Amino acid sequence: MYRVLIVGRPNVGKSSLFNRLVGKRTAVVADTPGVTRDLKEHVVETEKGRFMLIDSGGMWSSDVWEHKIKEKVEQALKTADLVLFAVDGRSDLATADLEVADFLRRQHKNVLVVATKVDDPKHENYLGDLYALGFGDPIPTSTAHARGLDDLIDAIWARLPVRQADDEPEVVPIRIAIVGRPNAGKSSLLNAILGEERVIVSEQPGTTRDVIDVEFDYGGNRFLLVDTAGIRKRPETLVEEIAINRAHNAILDADVVLLVIDPFEVGDRELKLANEALDAGKPVILTITKWDLVEQEEARKVRADLNLKLAHLEHLPRAYVSAVTKENLHKLFSEAARLYAMARERRETAELNRFLSLWTAHVALPNFKGKPLKIFFLTQAEVAPPTFVFFVNYPEFVTRAFEGYLRNRIGEDLGIKEIPFKLVFRGRRDPKGKEKGKEEE
């Protein structure tokens, strides 16, 4: 797939341009310079075809992240087919713009200048200075008013090299959200998996400011890894609040959630994040990071302490990993693929009702004022999460204890206790049914 990289100095509207071309708000945008730090990728669908659009951090930012951001841009340039050089069309050329231009010339890449924030056609008369950058005609655009975007798409396709069409069918990747508290080791984990510093890592909390998507192949499966900002109870800035909201949305969009846990800092936040994912019907893998820091003689004690603090989540699969030694990283993908398949397995109605006859034969059914609960049959209505519908005479007769019994039996006998699932009890006079309780946690 073609790769198109957006570069430019801070606060020229790169992320706004990225969002407009992608067609939805995926990159965090704020008036504060330096919001974007890592590379962010998304596929752009057009009438002429598809290309991967890559957003990058502001270059020549004169802050602590300047060197790291430049490294990321250099890394992305190696595979880029076209560079969109974003320049503020309403401002005079800044020294940083000229520095970026010199940098791009040394890379010998195909560059297209995009003048941003050109909200009115009359402002196009003031773009003459942009020719001094040495990359030809600038394309005037306005993300606020959606001006010039069609012309920009046409210019992009005109500049992209001709390639033979790829006839291979597209494989939908398994989407894995990497979530956890700040400094739990999420970005280090992603970098270790990819074998490169794909996202910036720092001891400073809040380094990751956005949701970062990276596709990755492992064991014959395709995965989309989604790195997120650390989730804390009280965000300190508006940018951090937006980033945390994106992290929560990443959980809702995921197929599988890696809950990254620092073994030296475990508390209610991990339980809340796990419950949030499970309530949304997402399988969760407890990913204990920084295992290389646990001394061998202390490992048993640390495991016991984790078992105690995570007792509520004892049924979930667990992996002890290290971004330094890369211990057990392979297990994350084998487990994710297994849980993904498990959540999408559909059981035959006949098989479910054979189990139901066994379950009801070994327990007394609830009885209210001489009227017993009757279960006519059981079927699976949905997958991801699996949803089991019990057709009964009176849904209100289902007690919490009996529901718990059925949950345990379904989890154990159907072999799905590691993933969330729903139970619905539908009566003869209640065609829509009544869901009892929350998903399995």
mmCIF file of all heavy atoms in Angstrom, residues 217-232:
data_model
loop_
_atom_site.group_PDB
_atom_site.id
_atom_site.type_symbol
_atom_site.label_atom_id
_atom_site.label_comp_id
_atom_site.label_asym_id
_atom_site.label_seq_id
_atom_site.Cartn_x
_atom_site.Cartn_y
_atom_site.Cartn_z
ATOM 1 N N ASP A 217 2.285 -8.698 11.802
ATOM 2 C CA ASP A 217 1.992 -10.099 11.473
ATOM 3 C C ASP A 217 2.716 -11.015 12.448
ATOM 4 O O ASP A 217 3.906 -10.808 12.735
ATOM 5 C CB ASP A 217 2.455 -10.422 10.044
ATOM 6 C CG ASP A 217 1.582 -9.760 9.009
ATOM 7 O OD1 ASP A 217 0.369 -10.014 9.026
ATOM 8 O OD2 ASP A 217 2.103 -8.982 8.189
ATOM 9 N N TYR A 218 1.998 -12.042 12.917
ATOM 10 C CA TYR A 218 2.635 -13.024 13.798
ATOM 11 C C TYR A 218 1.895 -14.351 13.690
ATOM 12 O O TYR A 218 0.661 -14.404 13.809
ATOM 13 C CB TYR A 218 2.614 -12.545 15.259
ATOM 14 C CG TYR A 218 3.311 -13.504 16.203
ATOM 15 C CD1 TYR A 218 4.693 -13.438 16.393
ATOM 16 C CD2 TYR A 218 2.600 -14.495 16.877
ATOM 17 C CE1 TYR A 218 5.335 -14.316 17.230
ATOM 18 C CE2 TYR A 218 3.243 -15.398 17.713
ATOM 19 C CZ TYR A 218 4.615 -15.303 17.880
ATOM 20 O OH TYR A 218 5.251 -16.190 18.719
ATOM 21 N N GLY A 219 2.650 -15.417 13.466
ATOM 22 C CA GLY A 219 2.085 -16.764 13.473
ATOM 23 C C GLY A 219 0.961 -16.971 12.480
ATOM 24 O O GLY A 219 0.023 -17.730 12.758
ATOM 25 N N GLY A 220 1.024 -16.293 11.332
ATOM 26 C CA GLY A 220 -0.013 -16.468 10.325
ATOM 27 C C GLY A 220 -1.238 -15.604 10.553
ATOM 28 O O GLY A 220 -2.197 -15.678 9.772
ATOM 29 N N ASN A 221 -1.237 -14.789 11.594
ATOM 30 C CA ASN A 221 -2.351 -13.885 11.875
ATOM 31 C C ASN A 221 -1.889 -12.440 11.720
ATOM 32 O O ASN A 221 -0.721 -12.123 11.940
ATOM 33 C CB ASN A 221 -2.892 -14.094 13.299
ATOM 34 C CG ASN A 221 -3.612 -15.415 13.456
ATOM 35 O OD1 ASN A 221 -4.577 -15.701 12.766
ATOM 36 N ND2 ASN A 221 -3.133 -16.235 14.373
ATOM 37 N N ARG A 222 -2.818 -11.589 11.366
ATOM 38 C CA ARG A 222 -2.523 -10.157 11.257
ATOM 39 C C ARG A 222 -3.170 -9.443 12.431
ATOM 40 O O ARG A 222 -4.351 -9.648 12.732
ATOM 41 C CB ARG A 222 -3.035 -9.594 9.930
ATOM 42 C CG ARG A 222 -2.552 -8.170 9.668
ATOM 43 C CD ARG A 222 -2.467 -7.893 8.186
ATOM 44 N NE ARG A 222 -1.843 -6.609 7.891
ATOM 45 C CZ ARG A 222 -0.555 -6.382 7.890
ATOM 46 N NH1 ARG A 222 0.271 -7.363 8.210
ATOM 47 N NH2 ARG A 222 -0.054 -5.198 7.587
ATOM 48 N N PHE A 223 -2.393 -8.601 13.087
ATOM 49 C CA PHE A 223 -2.876 -7.879 14.265
ATOM 50 C C PHE A 223 -2.753 -6.379 14.027
ATOM 51 O O PHE A 223 -1.858 -5.912 13.313
ATOM 52 C CB PHE A 223 -2.059 -8.250 15.506
ATOM 53 C CG PHE A 223 -2.135 -9.698 15.882
ATOM 54 C CD1 PHE A 223 -1.226 -10.619 15.371
ATOM 55 C CD2 PHE A 223 -3.124 -10.161 16.746
ATOM 56 C CE1 PHE A 223 -1.288 -11.961 15.711
ATOM 57 C CE2 PHE A 223 -3.194 -11.498 17.092
ATOM 58 C CZ PHE A 223 -2.278 -12.399 16.579
ATOM 59 N N LEU A 224 -3.636 -5.624 14.649
ATOM 60 C CA LEU A 224 -3.529 -4.171 14.691
ATOM 61 C C LEU A 224 -3.335 -3.788 16.155
ATOM 62 O O LEU A 224 -4.249 -3.904 16.967
ATOM 63 C CB LEU A 224 -4.790 -3.506 14.133
ATOM 64 C CG LEU A 224 -4.777 -1.977 14.123
ATOM 65 C CD1 LEU A 224 -3.696 -1.471 13.169
ATOM 66 C CD2 LEU A 224 -6.129 -1.421 13.727
ATOM 67 N N LEU A 225 -2.120 -3.374 16.492
ATOM 68 C CA LEU A 225 -1.787 -3.015 17.867
ATOM 69 C C LEU A 225 -2.123 -1.545 18.094
ATOM 70 O O LEU A 225 -1.716 -0.684 17.308
ATOM 71 C CB LEU A 225 -0.302 -3.260 18.135
ATOM 72 C CG LEU A 225 0.210 -4.673 17.820
ATOM 73 C CD1 LEU A 225 1.710 -4.768 18.069
ATOM 74 C CD2 LEU A 225 -0.530 -5.701 18.653
ATOM 75 N N VAL A 226 -2.837 -1.266 19.165
ATOM 76 C CA VAL A 226 -3.289 0.088 19.457
ATOM 77 C C VAL A 226 -2.705 0.523 20.797
ATOM 78 O O VAL A 226 -3.155 0.087 21.860
ATOM 79 C CB VAL A 226 -4.830 0.160 19.493
ATOM 80 C CG1 VAL A 226 -5.285 1.602 19.704
ATOM 81 C CG2 VAL A 226 -5.432 -0.414 18.216
ATOM 82 N N ASP A 227 -1.671 1.353 20.741
ATOM 83 C CA ASP A 227 -1.075 1.891 21.962
ATOM 84 C C ASP A 227 -1.896 3.103 22.405
ATOM 85 O O ASP A 227 -2.318 3.908 21.578
ATOM 86 C CB ASP A 227 0.374 2.302 21.699
ATOM 87 C CG ASP A 227 1.105 2.688 22.979
ATOM 88 O OD1 ASP A 227 0.732 2.192 24.058
ATOM 89 O OD2 ASP A 227 2.049 3.487 22.895
ATOM 90 N N THR A 228 -2.134 3.226 23.707
ATOM 91 C CA THR A 228 -2.988 4.302 24.218
ATOM 92 C C THR A 228 -2.285 5.085 25.309
ATOM 93 O O THR A 228 -1.289 4.637 25.886
ATOM 94 C CB THR A 228 -4.306 3.744 24.790
ATOM 95 O OG1 THR A 228 -4.011 2.924 25.937
ATOM 96 C CG2 THR A 228 -5.049 2.911 23.761
ATOM 97 N N ALA A 229 -2.824 6.257 25.593
ATOM 98 C CA ALA A 229 -2.302 7.062 26.689
ATOM 99 C C ALA A 229 -2.613 6.382 28.028
ATOM 100 O O ALA A 229 -3.620 5.689 28.172
ATOM 101 C CB ALA A 229 -2.941 8.448 26.656
ATOM 102 N N GLY A 230 -1.729 6.593 28.992
ATOM 103 C CA GLY A 230 -1.969 6.056 30.330
ATOM 104 C C GLY A 230 -3.223 6.658 30.943
ATOM 105 O O GLY A 230 -3.446 7.866 30.881
ATOM 106 N N ILE A 231 -4.062 5.793 31.511
ATOM 107 C CA ILE A 231 -5.343 6.233 32.063
ATOM 108 C C ILE A 231 -5.184 6.505 33.553
ATOM 109 O O ILE A 231 -4.893 5.599 34.338
ATOM 110 C CB ILE A 231 -6.436 5.184 31.812
ATOM 111 C CG1 ILE A 231 -6.621 4.984 30.295
ATOM 112 C CG2 ILE A 231 -7.744 5.599 32.463
ATOM 113 C CD1 ILE A 231 -7.606 3.900 29.931
ATOM 114 N N ARG A 232 -5.363 7.759 33.928
ATOM 115 C CA ARG A 232 -5.333 8.124 35.339
ATOM 116 C C ARG A 232 -6.683 8.729 35.712
ATOM 117 O O ARG A 232 -7.453 9.153 34.852
ATOM 118 C CB ARG A 232 -4.195 9.080 35.625
ATOM 119 C CG ARG A 232 -4.317 10.454 35.044
ATOM 120 C CD ARG A 232 -3.236 11.351 35.600
ATOM 121 N NE ARG A 232 -2.145 11.558 34.656
ATOM 122 C CZ ARG A 232 -0.893 11.826 35.047
ATOM 123 N NH1 ARG A 232 -0.606 11.908 36.326
ATOM 124 N NH2 ARG A 232 0.044 12.012 34.146
#
